[in-house]
Structure formats: C-alpha cells, structure tokens
Amino acid sequence: MEIKNSPYYHEAIQEINYPFGNFYLFETFIVGEINMDIVFNWKDHAKMVVEEITNLYDQNGKDLVYITNRVNPYSVVPSDWIHFFKYSYTLKGYGVVSYNQKGMLNAVLEKLFMRGKLRSFENLNSAISWARSITSKKEKAA
C-alpha cells in the first residue's frame, strides 16, 4: 500500500518529492517510496536525501526511524551504507516493508550492513506501529 493511499498520509508533516522517489516525514519517522527500477545509491540519491532530512530534523537521525516502503521494485547498492556511517549519520531503526519474496531476500542482505537495526515487515501498518513503539520509548524516558 502506498502511503498516499493509507490512513497515515494525513499525519505526514512534510512530503519531499525527488525524480527517484518520494519521502514522507512524520514527527519521529520517515517513510520512503523509491520509484520503479531505480538503482538507489549514495552518490545519486541517498546523500541528497540524508543531507536534506538532517537539516529539516536538525539532527543526524539518531532519534529517527526510516521505513522504506517497497511498493515498487528497485535495487539498493548495499555497500553504499558505508558512506552513511562514514558521515556519522545514525538511525534509531530501519524498517523494510516488502510485498514479495525477492524484497524479503534483499532485506536480509541489507541487514548485514545495518548492524542489527533493520526489521522486515510484510505491511506498512506493522512497520509504522514498530516505528512508533521504539520512538515512544525515548519520549517516555524523558
């Protein structure tokens, strides 16, 4: 289910549209939907997104969860995650919503690069519930 067709769309505080995909910003998490057949990499895509989101949230991501909602088939260059860590960007969690077996297998590969923060989901509702649960722990502790 695309975020625009979900009950969560109206809760987004901002929508960022790029030629390669759309990103929906919520208070404590982000949902990204990459366009079909994109080979998502650091240089052409991720660096731009990370820099803009870092500026908008005024942090390096340590309190944010990123959910990639794989409504379209696309590829990720998993070795490019090294750039993410090199620039000291962090995430509280990384969720992958996959709607088919191939997407689930890709998530397993990506998990190798995310050091235990990656969770796989079969639907957007479960991913958003998880994102809210791990970000609300921080809020309760404060």
Side-chain angles (χ1 to χ4, degrees), residues 19-115:
F20 53 84
N22 303 308
F23 296 82
Y24 304 91
L25 284 55
F26 296 81
E27 191 172 331
T28 57
F29 64 93
I30 299 157
V31 177
E33 294 177 346
I34 306 302
N35 294 341
M36 187 180 316
D37 297 330
I38 295 291
V39 177
F40 195 80
N41 63 65
W42 178 258
K43 181 181 155 227
D44 299 327
H45 311 103
K47 183 177 181 188
M48 180 185 334
V49 173
V50 167
E51 287 174 350
E52 185 164 1
I53 288 173
T54 298
N55 289 332
L56 289 170
Y57 281 98
D58 196 28
Q59 61 162 297
N60 67 353
K62 67 181 174 39
D63 295 324
L64 294 173
V65 172
Y66 177 72
I67 299 169
T68 181
N69 188 26
R70 294 197 171 153
V71 293
N72 299 307
Y74 70 93
S75 301
V76 175
V77 178
S79 60
D80 276 5
W81 279 110
I82 198 89
H83 296 289
F84 188 80
F85 297 116
K86 180 180 172 184
Y87 291 99
S88 299
Y89 299 119
T90 59
L91 287 171
K92 190 166 188 77
Y94 177 62
V96 178
V97 181
S98 298
Y99 298 94
N100 59 47
Q101 186 69 19
K102 184 178 179 186
M104 290 292 192
L105 293 173
N106 286 339
V108 170
L109 177 62
E110 287 178 65
K111 196 170 198 168
L112 297 172
F113 294 89
M114 284 303 293
R115 302 179 184 151

